[in-house]
Amino acid sequence: MRLTVVGCSGSVPGVDSPASCYLVQAGDISVVLDLGSGALGHLQRHIDLRRLDAVLLSHLHPDHCIDVLALYIARTYDPRRRYRPMPVHLPSGGAGHLARAYGRAEHPGLEGSFEFDEWREGTRRIGPMTVTVARVAHPVETWGMRLEHEGRVLAFSGDTGPCDALVELARGADLALFESSFEVERDASAPADLHMTGRDAGEAAARAGVRRLVLTHLPPWNDPAVALRDATAAFDGPVEVAVSGATYDL
Ligand SMILES: [Zn+2]
Ligand SMILES: [Zn+2]
């Protein structure tokens, strides 16, 4: 399983990275986890869009989903397009949400180009991968993900505050891709069910017993060195901060 960080900027795109988007390739399948603001441009550095097999959306905040509209345009107007509908796994009400964002009525919305499949708690097969999802702690319906392929495990937090569901999803993962949007001192009074600090991410990684922690979703106004310091203090294994274009072979 190969993970490519397409976009890792938190909440908004940054100068060096789009918002949330991760390309995962396993066997003969290529999927993206999230397709946030600005991601479709950088995604084309790594894959011909016609070779993308599915989109998995953690939630419907624009920094995680809005470039699905750009993908819709590419799939509709690129004369080289393929016609088979692409599966989009997403939170409940997602098809209507995206249709309205595009300025369409919910029906037919973006059907035809996409086949929408709402998440349900539990496990499903996506190509050769086993994908388990669970609700995490964020103000809108948000799904953390566990992707397994040939004994390797990738865990992705989506956006979340600290929660047991994330620890369970990430149990024993080879790589944990955890958000780290907040800073310990600055965001001390922020709501608990919103985002994690580097320390929260490190503590979750330690509780889950993951092999490696990659911090992501740092907003452009954060200093990555702070998240790295705080996560490293809480987790004994290797920790790094995601950058756009980085690849990890699991
Ligand atoms: Zn976000
Ligand atoms: Zn969010």
Side-chain angles (χ1 to χ4, degrees), residues 50-67:
R50 294 171 298 167
R51 288 188 43 237
L52 191 64
D53 295 297
V55 177
L56 286 61
L57 298 180
S58 64
H59 66 300
L60 298 173
H61 280 155
D63 57 317
H64 298 259
C65 79
I66 205 65
D67 268 23

Side-chain angles (χ1 to χ4, degrees), residues 121-195:
E121 197 100 15
T123 296
R124 62 181 68 188
R125 295 287 292 183
I126 298 179
M129 290 188 292
T130 303
V131 178
T132 304
V133 296
R135 289 281 299 273
V136 291
H138 200 52
V140 299
E141 182 185 315
T142 303
W143 297 87
M145 303 177 199
R146 175 188 180 91
L147 283 70
E148 300 178 60
H149 180 252
E150 293 183 346
R152 296 301 186 146
V153 179
L154 166 68
F156 171 50
S157 65
D159 281 3
T160 185
C163 63
D164 291 340
L166 178 63
V167 173
E168 288 312 312
L169 274 177
R171 185 74 62 198
D174 294 281
L175 191 151
L177 189 57
F178 282 177
E179 74 117 290
S180 184
S181 312
F182 281 164
E183 292 187 353
V184 175
E185 290 86 13
R186 186 193 64 203
D187 299 304
S189 58
D193 292 351
L194 185 54
H195 288 300

